[in-house]
Amino acid sequence: MPLGNPATPIGIANINSTVTTPFTLHVIPRDQHTISRKDISPNALRVLYRLREAGFGAYLVGGAVRDLLVDGRPKDFDVATDATPEQVKQLFRNCRLIGRRFRLAHVVFGREIIEVATFRANSDDGSGDREVENGMLVRDNVYGSIEDDAVRRDFTCNALYYAIEDFSVRDYTGGFEDVMARRMRLIGDPEQRYREDPVRMLRAVRLAAKLNFQIDGPTAEPLPRLANLLSEAAPARLFEEVLKLFLSGHGVASFEGLERYGLFAVLFPESAAALKSNRTGALRRILIEGLRNTDDRVANEEPVSPAFLFALLLWPAFCRALIGLQKQGMAPEEAQRRAADRVTLHQLTTIALPRRFSLPMQEIWLLQSRFGSRQRKRVLRTLSHPRFRAAFDFLLLRQAASPEHQDDIAFWREAQLQNGQDLESAPDSVLAEDGQEGDVPRRRRRRRRSGGSATTTTTGE
Ligand code: ATP
Ligand code: MG
């Protein structure tokens, strides 16, 4: 395919038609873009040069090119080439081939893996190496041209190729112009592309939040209409996407985007309903505060946990279920356990939350009710609970919505400062023996709570 003149305007009509329409190549030479080799992983450069020396086309592609153009630091560097996976393997000793359905080469440099993918077409014409097993497509290696590879991608900003041969950026879909305008635009017909893969709706919101891009009108328009398609996506994939949405440092912006386009209600129906009916707005404040904290932690490179995240996202649902059960007359402890189980079970139909996260999530919820107790044995047990720290952090968030947790926070902060031994020998004035509230200086309790704070809070929050 002849190289297009860099000045040639991009055929907008082409882009808005279907993915099979030929696209115009736009080459952005080195002096007209900001991608510099010093910002590219040296291992990715090694792979690119080796492929090139062996006579193959070699390009950096996808998120890395996009992030480099917007001054971001890519978290991984993917390479695209016209070499087959087997040919790639022959070039690198440290290479392994992975994937049955889509065969990919991984070139391994210690902890860094450079993924090398052969140009792929999205064709259904029966050509290429396809294998069907029990009606399921198990192998789908339909190799194609760089142009085929570009148009099967989702957004124009993700379909840019940085060529090691001349350091230019190759653009088949108008992505360069879109990145410069900070615009997310689907390649091809938006509705068709969302129907093919509804997870692209989440990617639109996530990438717009991460990059601070606007979603282009025609790309945004079908989102509320098609949001329900998401419930048909694979629950395991939705779990992964939710982690990326909320644990990549842009959780607040992601949440706002999801709500704006009606996607949050499809992912978390019960929490969405609870947020809607919570007139004080307290549940929303907790959620936003929690997401903001998580974003700060990511920015400071502190660890974040899926269990805590889901405890946060499903807290509105939990509170709502709890109120419902208590209205039916169920005892507080039983109601809490039942509410936790019910919310978890319902959520699993949409998002596959693994047990290793759902169990600690429930523990974080159930520990909330223990923070109201000053009974010596209970205090010690709560302090030594493996989820104590997370549950206490959660209590701090709840404080954002309602100042009623102030006393509990002061008490448990103090309790943590003393070590277990100090507590064992603490006078009864600090720890009540019989479940009475302790008479703690500067932390005098305003009223006695019998049901536990999560119970009290559900009506308050
Ligand atoms: P991130 O910064 O989260 O890694 P990314 O765009 O690199 O963003 P990946 O999931 O790593 O996301 O995907 C790599 C590339 O694969 C994308 O840039 C895009 O070109 C293509 N891609 C990913 N998911 C899809 C999809 N659902 N449909 C079409 N193309 C996709
Ligand atoms: Mg990526």
Side-chain angles (χ1 to χ4, degrees):
M1 165 148 202
L3 294 190
N5 179 337
T8 306
I10 296 161
I12 300 293
N14 280 349
I15 291 162
N16 284 337
S17 57
T18 68
V19 281
T20 47
T21 312
F23 287 75
T24 314
L25 170 62
H26 185 207
V27 179
I28 300 97
R30 174 63 192 94
D31 60 358
Q32 286 175 35
H33 67 72
T34 53
I35 299 179
S36 156
R37 271 169 294 166
K38 74 175 170 22
D39 298 323
I40 300 174
S41 137
N43 291 325
L45 286 173
R46 269 184 209 113
V47 171
L48 290 167
Y49 281 124
R50 179 84 61 88
L51 285 165
R52 166 93 183 120
E53 281 158 19
F56 296 110
Y59 304 85
L60 202 62
V61 68
V65 180
R66 176 199 71 208
D67 290 353
L68 287 168
L69 285 173
V70 293
D71 291 333
R73 269 188 303 143
K75 60 176 165 30
D76 42 37
F77 291 86
D78 295 336
V79 168
T81 179
D82 54 7
T84 63
E86 289 71 21
Q87 287 171 321
V88 176
K89 185 160 173 56
Q90 280 170 6
L91 288 177
F92 301 95
R93 263 189 307 125
N94 48 335
C95 174
R96 54 171 195 244
L97 300 187
I98 60 142
R100 277 226 323 141
R101 177 149 178 209
F102 301 121
R103 247 167 131 56
L104 290 171
H106 274 181
V107 188
V108 184
F109 300 88
R111 289 172 61 189
E112 189 180 18
I113 294 176
I114 306 297
E115 188 171 290
V116 184
T118 306
F119 295 141
R120 228 164 56 205
N122 225 358
S123 90
D124 256 335
D125 62 4
S127 63
D129 178 10
R130 287 190 156 210
E131 198 180 299
V132 177
E133 219 174 64
N134 298 331
M136 270 212 358
L137 203 55
V138 289
R139 226 141 83 91
D140 190 13
N141 290 323
V142 183
Y143 300 129
S145 64
I146 181 170
E147 190 180 355
D148 295 328
D149 193 80
V151 299
R152 76 169 173 86
R153 291 176 186 271
D154 46 7
F155 299 94
T156 61
C157 61
N158 286 344
L160 293 168
Y161 296 74
Y162 171 85
I164 201 65
E165 119 191 26
D166 58 4
F167 315 125
S168 68
V169 171
R170 314 281 171 97
D171 176 8
Y172 293 87
T173 65
F176 188 78
E177 217 176 77
D178 286 338
V179 171
M180 294 302 118
R182 304 188 87 88
R183 188 163 56 210
M184 297 286 307
R185 195 154 55 90
L186 268 172
I187 300 168
D189 175 60
E191 177 155 346
Q192 184 188 329
R193 301 304 309 278
Y194 289 136
R195 287 188 181 280
E196 274 169 18
D197 179 6
V199 172
R200 288 176 183 146
M201 296 193 271
L202 298 183
R203 288 178 55 84
V205 167
R206 171 167 73 82
L207 293 172
K210 163 179 158 158
L211 302 163
N212 198 13
F213 277 22
Q214 290 287 329
I215 305 179
D216 191 44
T219 296
E221 180 276 322
L223 290 172
R225 263 191 306 120
L226 303 182
N228 273 324
L229 293 178
L230 259 188
S231 55
E232 286 159 34
R237 197 163 163 223
L238 289 182
F239 172 69
E240 292 301 326
E241 250 333 288
V242 165
L243 294 189
K244 287 191 190 172
L245 276 158
F246 294 109
L247 297 184
S248 306
H250 309 276
V252 175
S254 291
F255 172 71
E256 287 167 355
L258 291 176
E259 268 214 315
R260 176 169 177 192
Y261 297 112
L263 298 165
F264 187 77
V266 182
L267 290 176
F268 299 98
E270 295 185 3
S271 277
L275 289 175
K276 206 169 163 192
S277 62
N278 178 231
R279 268 173 288 121
T280 63
L283 289 173
R284 174 177 302 270
R285 283 200 296 280
I286 297 178
L287 186 52
I288 296 284
E289 183 63 19
L291 294 174
R292 205 190 328 270
N293 272 3
T294 308
D295 288 348
D296 289 346
R297 291 183 68 90
V298 175
N300 297 327
E301 296 183 6
E302 292 170 68
V304 288
S305 99
F308 192 88
L309 172 71
F310 275 84
L312 186 64
L313 292 168
L314 292 174
W315 176 251
F318 172 72
C319 290
R320 191 165 184 257
L322 185 55
I323 291 175
L325 291 171
Q326 287 192 303
K327 274 191 186 151
Q328 291 168 24
M330 197 178 284
E333 279 202 16
E334 170 75 0
Q336 285 169 36
R337 270 198 306 274
R338 289 272 193 96
D341 284 341
R342 191 174 286 186
V343 166
T344 309
L345 202 67
H346 286 182
Q347 189 60 49
L348 287 176
T349 60
T350 324
I351 299 174
L353 177 61
R355 268 174 80 78
R356 68 179 187 283
F357 300 127
S358 67
L359 291 180
M361 168 188 81
Q362 294 187 338
E363 286 173 330
I364 290 171
W365 291 339
L366 299 181
L367 276 166
Q368 300 304 308
S369 66
R370 290 221 222 150
F371 289 135
S373 172
R374 298 290 180 272
Q375 211 184 3
R376 177 199 295 270
K377 273 193 192 136
R378 282 189 172 216
V379 168
L380 293 172
R381 220 174 42 220
T382 302
L383 274 177
S384 61
H385 193 288
R387 229 58 65 194
F388 170 79
R389 190 63 227 188
F392 180 72
D393 286 346
F394 202 86
L395 180 66
L396 293 176
L397 288 181
R398 294 171 61 209
Q399 168 76 4
S402 125
E404 92 178 82
H405 307 296
Q406 227 166 345
D407 291 350
D408 287 341
I409 287 171
F411 175 84
W412 290 95
R413 209 169 246 148
E414 184 80 23
Q416 288 174 80
L417 288 178
Q418 304 178 25
N419 62 33
Q421 293 218 317
D422 288 347
L423 273 169
E424 295 273 14
S425 56
D428 286 355
S429 61
V430 176
L431 295 167
E433 271 298 350
D434 58 358
Q436 298 280 325
E437 302 296 344
D439 181 15
V440 186
R442 290 173 287 111
R443 285 183 258 111
R444 187 173 287 278
R445 314 271 309 166
R446 276 167 299 174
R447 61 189 158 91
R448 182 176 172 182
R449 281 178 212 164
S450 53
S453 54
T455 320
T456 319
T457 308
T458 49
T459 40
E461 288 174 5

